[in-house]
Amino acid sequence: MCLLVASLTVQLQAQPSFNSRPKLVVGIVVDQMRWDYLSRYYDRFGGDGFRRLIDQGFSFNNCLINYVPTVTAIGHTSVYTGSTPAFHGICGNNFSIDGRAVYCCDDASVMPVGSDNKKDGQMSPVNLLTTTIGDQLRLHTDFRAKVIGVSYKDRAAILPAGHSANGAYWLDRKNRCFITSTYYMTELPEWAKVFNHDLKNNEEFKRLGQDIGLSPEAGHITVDMAIAALRGEKLGQGSETDMLCVSFSQTDVIGHKWSTRGEHTDEAYMGVDRDLAKLFQVLDEKVGKGQYLVFLTADHGAAHNSQFMVDNRLHGGQWLSREVRADLEKYIADKLGNRQPVVEAIRDYRFYLDHAAIAQQGLDLQRVKDLAIEFLRKSPYLSFVVDFEKAAYAPIPPVLRERILMGYHYRRSGDIIVVVEPGFYEFGPWSSPVGTTHGEWNPYDAHIPLLFYGWQVPHGQSEAEVYITDIAPTVCSLLHIQQPNACVGRALKFN
């Protein structure tokens, strides 16, 4: 009996208290990483990068994106808010707000810090409507916790870190340095100035110039900046839990250029694997193994190259939105006699009608929409055409209806969304003939990795269907803090 009591006492003492937390949370997003890359490259990964997460952490093998379109700004935002465009308002990399075209992070009220590059530096989370994990952590600790975002892309640093972050840093390729904006501070911290001074002398960066995003070197620079922030801000060294948000963007740039297969993509993921190993080693030394919580996911996946699909006798191809737009304008003009175009833009499979031009010409908006849908339903390579405002009762599969509704914000998402046939994708002026893109509901775009490792995370895996919106509430549950204020996900269990 005494031995049993003693054993129970030891077990109880070993359990963390209700209010215990890790010293640091590290969120990692690998841009354009398909879930199947974990198995494709497993035997080529080293032991301390991806393999550490897989072999020692917990993998949710069926994590899906539960909205459309599946693009970078939305993905990063949804990971950290536990929400979707319907609520958080980030409806694409580029979208419109009440007819005004915007880039997701553009903010003319701020100035660049770290360089004089206004084009790349006038950025903030101004268009984000909700809080993030980091915002909730800051709120819970009366803003004592530190939250930092780092990435090659501005949107991949800014949107994850949230409104109240201590800093977000992104790469100014033109001036070969990391910058921020006056939204966060008026001067770079000393550690960032030192880092940028050294970066100016980076020979590989000098050689690659503005093409650095097409090289694994962009990832190496990103992780080195993240480590500099970790050390410079003493993240995980205080009395409160801090957060570091890191996004690897070169994988997306390389994927758009060279697609999902080949030496460039292989090299990109071997590079990220080395970057992760380097980061984890520093975390072990500075924060302590078992004292930090890591999650790794992606903002979206990617389709295989259309010609690759055709060459291998698989259904696939290109949807040419430019040609469709021209033919659509002619069709509507022939029906209604209008002289001005009625389509403002086509963005991520969504048609934004020009409401002002339609009104000025005395046209009925619903009539224009109905004619557009009538024409598009005859267009090749499209499975469905949906009026956003009627999506709730449109004759489409329930799974697709749910994703359309979760991706629709009435002031920011346009008027009509089209769904291309499986294996097809929009081929625009930005597309590479040997590259790829993303944006649709299909598993190749919407099935992403989700790995947890470290503090209170057991080793294991689950085949349960979970969603990108479940990441934020899971982290918040582990931290015993409130979920972001428009969170629609649920906290996951490691079993």
Side-chain angles (χ1 to χ4, degrees), residues 427-443:
F427 192 82
W430 62 89
S431 302
S432 163
V434 295
T436 188
T437 191
H438 48 85
E440 278 287 355
W441 69 273
N442 310 77

Side-chain angles (χ1 to χ4, degrees), residues 35 38 59-63 447-448 450-451 461-464 466:
W35 172 79
L38 291 177
S59 177
F60 289 95
N61 295 329
N62 196 20
C63 183
H447 187 189
I448 55 176
L450 177 55
L451 301 163
Q461 58 182 318
S462 171
E463 306 305 322
V466 303

Side-chain angles (χ1 to χ4, degrees), residues 103-366:
Y103 171 69
C104 58
C105 292
D106 271 346
D107 186 351
S109 72
V110 302
M111 295 298 289
V113 174
S115 81
D116 59 358
N117 186 347
K118 288 186 179 181
K119 180 177 181 295
D120 291 344
Q122 289 187 291
M123 303 287 168
S124 84
V126 64
N127 292 316
L128 176 60
L129 302 178
T130 65
T131 61
T132 63
I133 302 170
D135 289 328
Q136 296 301 140
L137 184 59
R138 295 268 288 156
L139 280 164
H140 190 84
T141 61
D142 291 329
F143 302 95
R144 292 187 298 273
K146 289 185 177 181
V147 177
I148 302 289
V150 176
S151 183
Y152 167 93
K153 293 181 180 178
D154 54 75
R155 57 187 178 270
I158 292 168
L159 298 171
H163 294 280
S164 64
N166 300 85
Y169 304 92
W170 56 95
L171 194 61
D172 177 348
R173 292 176 298 158
K174 178 182 176 182
N175 292 298
R176 297 205 314 273
C177 61
F178 276 90
I179 61 174
T180 187
S181 78
T182 51
Y183 178 88
Y184 303 97
M185 61 194 73
T186 57
E187 186 177 358
L188 287 178
E190 196 60 34
W191 62 263
K193 292 179 182 178
V194 171
F195 183 87
N196 279 339
H197 178 269
D198 294 339
L199 192 58
K200 295 282 188 183
N201 298 316
N202 182 301
E203 293 300 325
E204 188 68 0
F205 201 167
K206 289 180 182 178
R207 183 181 70 82
L208 293 166
Q210 297 202 46
D211 289 333
I212 191 169
L214 293 170
S215 166
E217 184 64 25
H220 305 337
I221 289 171
T222 298
V223 82
D224 286 345
M225 180 62 174
I227 290 170
L230 175 76
R231 289 172 168 157
E233 299 291 344
K234 295 182 171 56
L235 300 181
Q237 304 297 308
S239 59
E240 303 288 356
T241 301
D242 297 322
M243 187 167 193
L244 177 62
C245 310
V246 185
S247 181
F248 294 99
S249 303
Q250 75 282 359
T251 44
D252 182 72
V253 182
I254 289 168
H256 280 293
K257 180 73 173 179
W258 290 297
S259 191
T260 60
R261 293 290 187 267
E263 61 178 321
H264 297 289
T265 302
D266 296 350
E267 182 185 32
Y269 283 91
M270 295 307 102
V272 174
D273 189 52
R274 292 191 296 273
D275 293 333
L276 292 175
K278 185 175 186 178
L279 176 61
F280 296 155
Q281 181 179 353
V282 174
L283 288 169
D284 287 346
E285 295 170 357
K286 292 295 182 182
V287 183
K289 197 167 185 178
Q291 298 299 309
Y292 58 90
L293 171 67
V294 174
F295 68 83
L296 181 145
T297 189
D299 53 347
H300 55 74
H304 291 308
N305 173 263
S306 59
Q307 190 60 50
F308 170 85
M309 296 287 283
V310 171
D311 291 345
N312 287 281
R313 298 183 296 175
L314 297 165
H315 186 67
Q318 300 170 356
W319 179 66
L320 304 175
S321 60
R322 285 170 294 175
E323 294 182 7
V324 169
R325 180 175 180 175
D327 292 342
L328 172 61
E329 290 283 11
K330 183 177 185 304
Y331 182 82
I332 293 175
D334 288 345
K335 294 285 187 179
L336 301 180
N338 56 292
R339 296 185 177 182
Q340 295 181 40
V342 296
V343 178
E344 176 211 330
I346 304 174
R347 302 188 183 98
D348 304 319
Y349 308 98
R350 298 165 303 180
F351 286 70
Y352 287 76
L353 300 181
D354 191 332
H355 291 209
I358 290 169
Q360 287 168 5
Q361 297 177 87
L363 305 177
D364 179 73
L365 177 61
Q366 189 60 54

